[in-house]
Amino acid sequence: GPHLHFEVYTNSSYTQLIDPWNGPCNSMNPGVSWWASQQSYFVPTLSKVITHGAAPQAGGSCPNQELTNEKINFKDGDALYTSSYYRDQQNGQSSVHTIYKPDGTIWQTWTQNFTTWYSASWWYYSWTLPNPASTGTWKYEILYNGSQREFTLFTLNAAPVNICPDNYNVLTSNITGSTYQWQVNNGSGFVNVSNGTFYANATTQILQLINIPSSWYGYQYRCFVNSTTYSNTLTLKFTSYWKGRSSKAWEDPSNWQCGNVPDANTDVIINSSSSTPEVSSNAVCRTLTLNNGAVVTVKSNFKLDVLK
C-alpha cells in the first residue's frame, strides 16, 4: 500500500546513502547509528481508539477507499462498534477495554489477550447501547500492555459533542429518512450547510466536519430529515486531554490528545498527577480541569490565562 521512504545521505549531491539504523541488517555503515537515541526494533503502540456506527470496512486495493463508519454521537439502543489500531503488537501482550457511563461507572469491561505478532493490526467489538441509556458523554478506554492508556469520547442523545479542533470529525443524524439537509446555528439562527472547505456530505445522514476551527465553539447542528422532522440538536465543544507522551512541555503538540496546543477556545483536562504539564510560554485555554491531584506548573516570567 502507499508508504513513505525516509532516506539519509551524507553529502549534498545525494550520492552517499547511509542506513541510520545500527543492526545486523546494516551493510552500508555497520556498527554506526545516526540516531541520537535509536528506538528498539519493535515499538508496540496503541495508535488509535475509535467508535463506529457499523463495522469499519477495508477498501481493498488502491485506489478504493476504506469505509470507516466513524460515529461519535449515538441514541438509545444504537449499535456501537469499538475499535483499536496497533503497531508492533506482540504475542503475550494484552489490552484491557472499558466503556464508562457519563457518571464514571463501568458499563462494559473485558481483557483482550494477544497470541500473535502483527506489525500492524486492528480489532473491533460490537454492542447494543441500553434503551434507555444515560444521556451525556461516554468514554471508551484501553490500557495496552499495562502502560499505555488511550481513549475516545462519544455522546448519547442530545449531549454536547466533544471534538478536537482542526481535525476530521463526523456528526450523525439520530433519525433516518430518504432525504437529509444539515443546518448550523452560529448564534444567528439555523441555516443550511453546504459542502465546501469545512463540510462534506451535507445532504446525507452523516455530516463530515473538516478542519473546523476552535472559534466555532458552541455552534449547533441539526439535520432536517424528509423535509418534515429535525434531528437532535448537537452542540460543539473543543476538548483536549493532556497525554504527556513526549515531555512535560505544554507547548509540544504531541503531548496533547488532539495533536495541537490548546488555545482560547479549548477546554483542557488533565487527569493524572503522574505526568503533568509545565508552561514555558504565555499560554491560554478556555477552561482547565485538574483531576486526581493533577497540577500544572507555570514557570517564572510566564503565565497561563484560563478564560472561563
Side-chain angles (χ1 to χ4, degrees):
H3 60 282
L4 177 68
H5 280 242
F6 174 65
E7 298 182 339
V8 178
Y9 293 82
T10 63
N11 61 338
S12 58
S13 59
Y14 301 103
T15 58
Q16 298 174 9
L17 177 66
I18 62 102
D19 186 344
W21 297 89
N22 180 34
C25 295
N26 184 346
S27 59
M28 295 181 177
N29 42 282
V32 177
S33 172
W34 283 60
W35 291 100
S37 178
Q38 181 171 303
Q39 284 185 331
S40 300
Y41 186 80
F42 293 113
V43 184
T45 305
L46 172 56
S47 301
K48 188 75 172 178
V49 179
I50 306 178
T51 55
H52 311 258
Q57 301 293 323
S61 301
C62 286
N64 297 325
Q65 296 183 0
E66 72 273 16
L67 184 63
T68 63
N69 292 319
E70 290 187 51
K71 187 175 180 180
I72 57 175
N73 62 289
F74 297 81
K75 70 179 188 302
D76 297 339
D78 270 355
L80 166 69
Y81 286 75
T82 56
S83 69
S84 50
Y85 300 79
Y86 297 84
R87 164 191 175 185
D88 290 343
Q89 172 200 302
Q90 303 289 297
N91 179 24
Q93 296 180 337
S94 65
S95 282
V96 179
H97 303 246
T98 308
I99 302 175
Y100 294 93
K101 296 179 181 180
D103 63 1
T105 59
I106 294 174
W107 180 59
Q108 301 285 350
T109 186
W110 68 101
T111 299
Q112 179 185 15
N113 295 306
F114 299 117
T115 59
T116 306
W117 169 82
Y118 291 107
S119 59
S121 65
W122 60 283
W123 311 83
Y124 69 83
Y125 297 85
S126 62
W127 310 93
T128 299
L129 289 165
N131 188 8
S134 302
T135 294
T137 301
W138 293 51
K139 180 169 73 170
Y140 170 43
E141 180 182 79
I142 299 176
L143 176 61
Y144 177 44
N145 205 29
S147 58
Q148 185 187 359
R149 191 182 302 271
E150 302 291 341
F151 64 89
T152 189
L153 304 175
F154 62 98
T155 62
L156 255 75
N157 302 320
V161 176
N162 296 279
I163 65 174
C164 288
D166 301 322
N167 278 237
Y168 166 91
N169 297 278
V170 294
L171 300 178
T172 304
S173 169
N174 67 300
I175 55 177
T176 59
S178 56
T179 64
Y180 302 89
Q181 176 59 63
W182 280 92
Q183 298 180 335
V184 60
N185 177 12
N186 64 4
S188 301
F190 281 98
V191 295
N192 287 346
V193 167
S194 299
N195 293 332
T197 302
F198 297 111
Y199 301 112
N201 300 333
T203 56
T204 69
Q205 187 182 6
I206 300 176
L207 175 67
Q208 294 183 15
L209 307 180
I210 306 169
N211 294 326
I212 297 297
S214 66
S215 58
W216 290 17
Y217 191 108
Y219 276 28
Q220 295 179 319
Y221 291 85
R222 68 185 184 187
C223 191
F224 196 35
V225 182
N226 292 335
S227 300
T228 58
T229 309
Y230 291 106
S231 70
N232 283 344
T233 298
L234 302 168
T235 303
L236 297 188
K237 293 178 64 177
F238 295 97
T239 305
S240 189
Y241 286 76
W242 171 258
K243 304 298 293 184
R245 291 188 179 98
S246 301
S247 64
K248 290 189 174 184
W250 176 286
E251 298 78 13
D252 185 347
S254 66
N255 285 326
W256 295 96
Q257 177 207 19
C258 285
N260 45 47
V261 178
D263 63 12
N265 301 301
T266 305
D267 294 322
V268 168
I269 299 177
I270 315 229
N271 273 332
S272 173
S273 60
S274 60
S275 174
T276 56
E278 295 179 352
V279 179
S280 300
S281 63
N282 290 326
V284 64
C285 62
R286 184 179 184 274
T287 64
L288 177 63
T289 301
L290 304 177
N291 296 324
N292 302 319
V295 297
V296 175
T297 301
V298 181
K299 293 189 174 181
S300 299
N301 301 319
F302 300 107
K303 64 178 180 177
L304 170 62
D305 288 329
V306 181
L307 302 182
K308 298 292 183 178

